[in-house]
Structures are given as C-alpha cells and as structure tokens.
Amino acid sequence: MVKLIKDEFDDLNIASYFIALVSITLFTAAITWYLFSYELEHILQTLSYPYSGYPVIVYSDGSFGILPVWLILCTIALLSVFRGVYELFKKSWIKKIIHYLLIGLCALLVLATLSSFIHSLIWESAAREHGYIECPMFDTTLVKYAKNVTAWTKEESLCHDYQVGEALSSGNHEDIIETAEYLKNGNK
C-alpha cells in the first residue's frame, strides 16, 4: 500500500514535469513565431534608421531585447528536456550537458543585460554620426502613443511640430514613411 502511494507521487511528479515542459515548449514556440513573423522586421528596420536618411526616425528601447529573451527561453527549454532525460537514464554525459547549458544560461543572462546597453550606445552613436539629434522626451508632440520610444530628427524644429507629431503618432515604420512624405511634399 505504501509503495502504491509512492508510485502515485512519482507519477504526479512526472505528469507535472511533462506539463511544465510542454508549457515551456509552447511558450518558446509562440515567442519564436512572434519573433520571426513580426518583431524581426521591426528590429531590422530600427537598426537601419540611422542610415536611412529619413527626416524623423524613432528608437525603441525594447526593440532589441526580444532576441536575448528568445535565446534564454530556448536554452531553458533545452535544459528542461535534458533534465528530464537525465532523470530517466541517469547518464553522466547528460549531466555534463546540463552543466554546460547552465553555464550557457548564465552567460546569456549577462549578455542579454549588456547587449541592451551596447545596442543603445551603438544605435545612438550611429544616429548622431548621421546628423540626427534626439528630441526631448517630455517636451515634444512626437510619438504620442508609444512607450519607451524616442524620436530623432535632423532639424530640432521638427521636434515641436504638431503636424509632424500627428503623422508620427505611434512611431511605427509606416508613420516614419508618412512623415517623410509629408515633409518631402513641402508641408513643413
């Protein structure tokens, strides 16, 4: 009777582990789909803005952050799989893989933190080298409907232009193109 209760607890642990593993895998798959369907294009556009020549561009602090998060999630999913395989087979080589994955996970956490700062510094430096200046965050009508987004322009007067702010309201790529067309057509 005691053995049956113990077996039930082991089955419960395996079941909860399996549910957690499936959840992590599905979450990682959803992030992967989102990253490659939507966010990757946005990241590439944001990286190219300092070199684009648009009169007004935007920078989002969180645009680059999803890549390191995705790598961390993939590593956690792999770590979970190997942990389950180790519990089943108890092989020493699997334990070594788990050890290396844990080291990789720690390295990714450090790199994720550093990469956001480094990306910000490089992007801002490239924008300044190409003649852009950052609009003041609290003293502007630009990018009204987006958080953690700063507008950059080649002319400081555009930072306070209400019409430019209306065209650039959300800061997405279409708004940047619309703003460039608006300014190109002499509606300044």
Side-chain angles (χ1 to χ4, degrees):
M1 181 74 169
V2 173
K3 187 173 184 175
L4 287 176
I5 291 173
K6 185 177 183 326
D7 286 344
E8 289 176 18
F9 283 126
D10 285 345
D11 290 341
L12 181 64
N13 288 338
I14 290 171
S16 62
Y17 177 80
F18 180 73
I19 290 170
L21 182 62
V22 168
S23 298
I24 289 170
T25 304
L26 289 176
F27 187 67
T28 303
I31 292 291
T32 302
W33 175 78
Y34 174 75
L35 177 67
F36 287 110
S37 296
Y38 298 103
E39 197 63 26
L40 192 59
E41 182 180 351
H42 174 71
I43 291 169
L44 293 175
Q45 287 170 342
T46 302
L47 288 173
S48 70
Y49 284 152
Y51 313 101
S52 66
Y54 290 128
V56 179
I57 58 175
V58 295
Y59 175 72
S60 173
D61 292 338
S63 65
F64 188 72
I66 196 159
L67 290 174
V69 169
W70 176 73
L71 287 172
I72 289 169
L73 283 174
C74 289
T75 304
I76 290 172
L78 276 173
L79 190 58
S80 301
V81 168
F82 279 105
R83 176 71 182 169
V85 171
Y86 176 75
E87 290 301 321
L88 289 173
F89 300 111
K90 303 285 187 192
K91 300 289 183 179
S92 63
W93 63 271
I94 299 173
K95 195 170 186 177
K96 287 180 184 177
I97 291 174
I98 291 171
H99 176 74
Y100 290 126
L101 283 172
L102 284 172
I103 291 171
L105 183 62
C106 291
L108 280 173
L109 289 170
V110 170
L111 287 175
T113 305
L114 290 176
S115 68
S116 69
F117 293 118
I118 292 170
H119 173 259
S120 176
L121 290 173
I122 291 172
W123 193 96
E124 290 177 7
S125 175
R128 284 188 179 96
E129 284 179 17
H130 287 88
Y132 289 98
I133 57 170
E134 183 177 6
C135 291
M137 288 190 68
F138 303 110
D139 192 24
T140 182
T141 59
L142 302 181
V143 195
K144 297 179 205 172
Y145 305 113
K147 293 183 178 181
N148 300 325
V149 175
T150 56
W152 291 67
T153 181
K154 292 190 174 196
E155 297 176 34
E156 189 175 353
S157 63
L158 294 178
C159 292
H160 309 288
D161 188 317
Y162 180 78
Q163 295 300 325
V164 171
E166 286 297 311
L168 192 69
S169 59
S170 68
N172 62 29
H173 187 66
E174 290 78 22
D175 286 350
I176 290 172
I177 293 171
E178 182 180 324
T179 304
E181 288 296 319
Y182 169 79
L183 293 170
K184 182 180 174 184
N185 291 332
N187 296 323
K188 196 167 149 183

mmCIF file with all atom_site columns, all heavy atoms in Angstrom, residues 13-26:
data_model
loop_
_atom_site.group_PDB
_atom_site.id
_atom_site.type_symbol
_atom_site.label_atom_id
_atom_site.label_alt_id
_atom_site.label_comp_id
_atom_site.label_asym_id
_atom_site.label_entity_id
_atom_site.label_seq_id
_atom_site.pdbx_PDB_ins_code
_atom_site.Cartn_x
_atom_site.Cartn_y
_atom_site.Cartn_z
_atom_site.occupancy
_atom_site.B_iso_or_equiv
_atom_site.pdbx_formal_charge
_atom_site.auth_seq_id
_atom_site.auth_comp_id
_atom_site.auth_asym_id
_atom_site.auth_atom_id
_atom_site.pdbx_PDB_model_num
ATOM 1   N N   . ASN A 1 13 ? 4.671  13.680 -10.140 1.00 0.00 ? 13 ASN A N   1
ATOM 2   C CA  . ASN A 1 13 ? 5.844  14.486 -10.462 1.00 0.00 ? 13 ASN A CA  1
ATOM 3   C C   . ASN A 1 13 ? 6.167  14.428 -11.948 1.00 0.00 ? 13 ASN A C   1
ATOM 4   O O   . ASN A 1 13 ? 6.513  15.429 -12.554 1.00 0.00 ? 13 ASN A O   1
ATOM 5   C CB  . ASN A 1 13 ? 7.058  14.033 -9.650  1.00 0.00 ? 13 ASN A CB  1
ATOM 6   C CG  . ASN A 1 13 ? 6.938  14.422 -8.196  1.00 0.00 ? 13 ASN A CG  1
ATOM 7   O OD1 . ASN A 1 13 ? 6.207  15.342 -7.867  1.00 0.00 ? 13 ASN A OD1 1
ATOM 8   N ND2 . ASN A 1 13 ? 7.624  13.711 -7.329  1.00 0.00 ? 13 ASN A ND2 1
ATOM 9   N N   . ILE A 1 14 ? 6.068  13.241 -12.541 1.00 0.00 ? 14 ILE A N   1
ATOM 10  C CA  . ILE A 1 14 ? 6.318  13.098 -13.974 1.00 0.00 ? 14 ILE A CA  1
ATOM 11  C C   . ILE A 1 14 ? 5.270  13.869 -14.762 1.00 0.00 ? 14 ILE A C   1
ATOM 12  O O   . ILE A 1 14 ? 5.597  14.567 -15.717 1.00 0.00 ? 14 ILE A O   1
ATOM 13  C CB  . ILE A 1 14 ? 6.338  11.606 -14.382 1.00 0.00 ? 14 ILE A CB  1
ATOM 14  C CG1 . ILE A 1 14 ? 7.586  10.941 -13.805 1.00 0.00 ? 14 ILE A CG1 1
ATOM 15  C CG2 . ILE A 1 14 ? 6.304  11.461 -15.895 1.00 0.00 ? 14 ILE A CG2 1
ATOM 16  C CD1 . ILE A 1 14 ? 7.598  9.437  -13.966 1.00 0.00 ? 14 ILE A CD1 1
ATOM 17  N N   . ALA A 1 15 ? 4.021  13.772 -14.332 1.00 0.00 ? 15 ALA A N   1
ATOM 18  C CA  . ALA A 1 15 ? 2.951  14.484 -15.031 1.00 0.00 ? 15 ALA A CA  1
ATOM 19  C C   . ALA A 1 15 ? 3.145  15.998 -14.934 1.00 0.00 ? 15 ALA A C   1
ATOM 20  O O   . ALA A 1 15 ? 3.013  16.712 -15.931 1.00 0.00 ? 15 ALA A O   1
ATOM 21  C CB  . ALA A 1 15 ? 1.595  14.085 -14.475 1.00 0.00 ? 15 ALA A CB  1
ATOM 22  N N   . SER A 1 16 ? 3.467  16.493 -13.736 1.00 0.00 ? 16 SER A N   1
ATOM 23  C CA  . SER A 1 16 ? 3.659  17.942 -13.596 1.00 0.00 ? 16 SER A CA  1
ATOM 24  C C   . SER A 1 16 ? 4.902  18.402 -14.365 1.00 0.00 ? 16 SER A C   1
ATOM 25  O O   . SER A 1 16 ? 4.905  19.485 -14.947 1.00 0.00 ? 16 SER A O   1
ATOM 26  C CB  . SER A 1 16 ? 3.756  18.340 -12.124 1.00 0.00 ? 16 SER A CB  1
ATOM 27  O OG  . SER A 1 16 ? 4.862  17.726 -11.515 1.00 0.00 ? 16 SER A OG  1
ATOM 28  N N   . TYR A 1 17 ? 5.948  17.573 -14.377 1.00 0.00 ? 17 TYR A N   1
ATOM 29  C CA  . TYR A 1 17 ? 7.143  17.897 -15.150 1.00 0.00 ? 17 TYR A CA  1
ATOM 30  C C   . TYR A 1 17 ? 6.803  17.956 -16.635 1.00 0.00 ? 17 TYR A C   1
ATOM 31  O O   . TYR A 1 17 ? 7.214  18.874 -17.339 1.00 0.00 ? 17 TYR A O   1
ATOM 32  C CB  . TYR A 1 17 ? 8.250  16.873 -14.891 1.00 0.00 ? 17 TYR A CB  1
ATOM 33  C CG  . TYR A 1 17 ? 9.477  17.122 -15.709 1.00 0.00 ? 17 TYR A CG  1
ATOM 34  C CD1 . TYR A 1 17 ? 10.393 18.087 -15.325 1.00 0.00 ? 17 TYR A CD1 1
ATOM 35  C CD2 . TYR A 1 17 ? 9.703  16.427 -16.888 1.00 0.00 ? 17 TYR A CD2 1
ATOM 36  C CE1 . TYR A 1 17 ? 11.517 18.346 -16.086 1.00 0.00 ? 17 TYR A CE1 1
ATOM 37  C CE2 . TYR A 1 17 ? 10.828 16.682 -17.663 1.00 0.00 ? 17 TYR A CE2 1
ATOM 38  C CZ  . TYR A 1 17 ? 11.725 17.640 -17.252 1.00 0.00 ? 17 TYR A CZ  1
ATOM 39  O OH  . TYR A 1 17 ? 12.825 17.894 -18.011 1.00 0.00 ? 17 TYR A OH  1
ATOM 40  N N   . PHE A 1 18 ? 6.036  16.981 -17.103 1.00 0.00 ? 18 PHE A N   1
ATOM 41  C CA  . PHE A 1 18 ? 5.649  16.946 -18.510 1.00 0.00 ? 18 PHE A CA  1
ATOM 42  C C   . PHE A 1 18 ? 4.800  18.162 -18.872 1.00 0.00 ? 18 PHE A C   1
ATOM 43  O O   . PHE A 1 18 ? 5.004  18.790 -19.920 1.00 0.00 ? 18 PHE A O   1
ATOM 44  C CB  . PHE A 1 18 ? 4.887  15.642 -18.818 1.00 0.00 ? 18 PHE A CB  1
ATOM 45  C CG  . PHE A 1 18 ? 4.455  15.532 -20.244 1.00 0.00 ? 18 PHE A CG  1
ATOM 46  C CD1 . PHE A 1 18 ? 5.379  15.279 -21.243 1.00 0.00 ? 18 PHE A CD1 1
ATOM 47  C CD2 . PHE A 1 18 ? 3.128  15.707 -20.589 1.00 0.00 ? 18 PHE A CD2 1
ATOM 48  C CE1 . PHE A 1 18 ? 4.982  15.190 -22.569 1.00 0.00 ? 18 PHE A CE1 1
ATOM 49  C CE2 . PHE A 1 18 ? 2.717  15.619 -21.913 1.00 0.00 ? 18 PHE A CE2 1
ATOM 50  C CZ  . PHE A 1 18 ? 3.649  15.355 -22.896 1.00 0.00 ? 18 PHE A CZ  1
ATOM 51  N N   . ILE A 1 19 ? 3.883  18.540 -18.001 1.00 0.00 ? 19 ILE A N   1
ATOM 52  C CA  . ILE A 1 19 ? 3.036  19.716 -18.248 1.00 0.00 ? 19 ILE A CA  1
ATOM 53  C C   . ILE A 1 19 ? 3.899  20.981 -18.301 1.00 0.00 ? 19 ILE A C   1
ATOM 54  O O   . ILE A 1 19 ? 3.725  21.832 -19.179 1.00 0.00 ? 19 ILE A O   1
ATOM 55  C CB  . ILE A 1 19 ? 1.928  19.834 -17.183 1.00 0.00 ? 19 ILE A CB  1
ATOM 56  C CG1 . ILE A 1 19 ? 0.903  18.714 -17.386 1.00 0.00 ? 19 ILE A CG1 1
ATOM 57  C CG2 . ILE A 1 19 ? 1.248  21.202 -17.238 1.00 0.00 ? 19 ILE A CG2 1
ATOM 58  C CD1 . ILE A 1 19 ? -0.098 18.582 -16.264 1.00 0.00 ? 19 ILE A CD1 1
ATOM 59  N N   . ALA A 1 20 ? 4.862  21.090 -17.369 1.00 0.00 ? 20 ALA A N   1
ATOM 60  C CA  . ALA A 1 20 ? 5.754  22.254 -17.369 1.00 0.00 ? 20 ALA A CA  1
ATOM 61  C C   . ALA A 1 20 ? 6.606  22.281 -18.632 1.00 0.00 ? 20 ALA A C   1
ATOM 62  O O   . ALA A 1 20 ? 6.798  23.339 -19.238 1.00 0.00 ? 20 ALA A O   1
ATOM 63  C CB  . ALA A 1 20 ? 6.628  22.235 -16.123 1.00 0.00 ? 20 ALA A CB  1
ATOM 64  N N   . LEU A 1 21 ? 7.109  21.120 -19.052 1.00 0.00 ? 21 LEU A N   1
ATOM 65  C CA  . LEU A 1 21 ? 7.930  21.041 -20.254 1.00 0.00 ? 21 LEU A CA  1
ATOM 66  C C   . LEU A 1 21 ? 7.135  21.425 -21.498 1.00 0.00 ? 21 LEU A C   1
ATOM 67  O O   . LEU A 1 21 ? 7.608  22.184 -22.346 1.00 0.00 ? 21 LEU A O   1
ATOM 68  C CB  . LEU A 1 21 ? 8.521  19.641 -20.408 1.00 0.00 ? 21 LEU A CB  1
ATOM 69  C CG  . LEU A 1 21 ? 9.437  19.409 -21.601 1.00 0.00 ? 21 LEU A CG  1
ATOM 70  C CD1 . LEU A 1 21 ? 10.653 20.314 -21.515 1.00 0.00 ? 21 LEU A CD1 1
ATOM 71  C CD2 . LEU A 1 21 ? 9.868  17.957 -21.653 1.00 0.00 ? 21 LEU A CD2 1
ATOM 72  N N   . VAL A 1 22 ? 5.923  20.937 -21.599 1.00 0.00 ? 22 VAL A N   1
ATOM 73  C CA  . VAL A 1 22 ? 5.062  21.282 -22.739 1.00 0.00 ? 22 VAL A CA  1
ATOM 74  C C   . VAL A 1 22 ? 4.745  22.775 -22.718 1.00 0.00 ? 22 VAL A C   1
ATOM 75  O O   . VAL A 1 22 ? 4.770  23.435 -23.758 1.00 0.00 ? 22 VAL A O   1
ATOM 76  C CB  . VAL A 1 22 ? 3.774  20.420 -22.737 1.00 0.00 ? 22 VAL A CB  1
ATOM 77  C CG1 . VAL A 1 22 ? 2.750  20.954 -23.717 1.00 0.00 ? 22 VAL A CG1 1
ATOM 78  C CG2 . VAL A 1 22 ? 4.107  18.972 -23.060 1.00 0.00 ? 22 VAL A CG2 1
ATOM 79  N N   . SER A 1 23 ? 4.501  23.332 -21.530 1.00 0.00 ? 23 SER A N   1
ATOM 80  C CA  . SER A 1 23 ? 4.201  24.762 -21.424 1.00 0.00 ? 23 SER A CA  1
ATOM 81  C C   . SER A 1 23 ? 5.386  25.606 -21.862 1.00 0.00 ? 23 SER A C   1
ATOM 82  O O   . SER A 1 23 ? 5.228  26.574 -22.612 1.00 0.00 ? 23 SER A O   1
ATOM 83  C CB  . SER A 1 23 ? 3.827  25.122 -19.982 1.00 0.00 ? 23 SER A CB  1
ATOM 84  O OG  . SER A 1 23 ? 2.680  24.432 -19.590 1.00 0.00 ? 23 SER A OG  1
ATOM 85  N N   . ILE A 1 24 ? 6.583  25.248 -21.395 1.00 0.00 ? 24 ILE A N   1
ATOM 86  C CA  . ILE A 1 24 ? 7.791  25.989 -21.794 1.00 0.00 ? 24 ILE A CA  1
ATOM 87  C C   . ILE A 1 24 ? 8.002  25.885 -23.300 1.00 0.00 ? 24 ILE A C   1
ATOM 88  O O   . ILE A 1 24 ? 8.320  26.872 -23.964 1.00 0.00 ? 24 ILE A O   1
ATOM 89  C CB  . ILE A 1 24 ? 9.026  25.467 -21.030 1.00 0.00 ? 24 ILE A CB  1
ATOM 90  C CG1 . ILE A 1 24 ? 8.951  25.886 -19.564 1.00 0.00 ? 24 ILE A CG1 1
ATOM 91  C CG2 . ILE A 1 24 ? 10.321 25.960 -21.656 1.00 0.00 ? 24 ILE A CG2 1
ATOM 92  C CD1 . ILE A 1 24 ? 10.001 25.227 -18.688 1.00 0.00 ? 24 ILE A CD1 1
ATOM 93  N N   . THR A 1 25 ? 7.802  24.690 -23.843 1.00 0.00 ? 25 THR A N   1
ATOM 94  C CA  . THR A 1 25 ? 7.999  24.485 -25.273 1.00 0.00 ? 25 THR A CA  1
ATOM 95  C C   . THR A 1 25 ? 6.989  25.293 -26.093 1.00 0.00 ? 25 THR A C   1
ATOM 96  O O   . THR A 1 25 ? 7.350  25.929 -27.086 1.00 0.00 ? 25 THR A O   1
ATOM 97  C CB  . THR A 1 25 ? 7.898  22.990 -25.617 1.00 0.00 ? 25 THR A CB  1
ATOM 98  O OG1 . THR A 1 25 ? 8.848  22.276 -24.823 1.00 0.00 ? 25 THR A OG1 1
ATOM 99  C CG2 . THR A 1 25 ? 8.163  22.736 -27.081 1.00 0.00 ? 25 THR A CG2 1
ATOM 100 N N   . LEU A 1 26 ? 5.725  25.280 -25.676 1.00 0.00 ? 26 LEU A N   1
ATOM 101 C CA  . LEU A 1 26 ? 4.700  26.045 -26.392 1.00 0.00 ? 26 LEU A CA  1
ATOM 102 C C   . LEU A 1 26 ? 4.957  27.546 -26.294 1.00 0.00 ? 26 LEU A C   1
ATOM 103 O O   . LEU A 1 26 ? 4.793  28.279 -27.285 1.00 0.00 ? 26 LEU A O   1
ATOM 104 C CB  . LEU A 1 26 ? 3.312  25.705 -25.864 1.00 0.00 ? 26 LEU A CB  1
ATOM 105 C CG  . LEU A 1 26 ? 2.787  24.322 -26.224 1.00 0.00 ? 26 LEU A CG  1
ATOM 106 C CD1 . LEU A 1 26 ? 1.441  24.065 -25.546 1.00 0.00 ? 26 LEU A CD1 1
ATOM 107 C CD2 . LEU A 1 26 ? 2.664  24.154 -27.724 1.00 0.00 ? 26 LEU A CD2 1
#
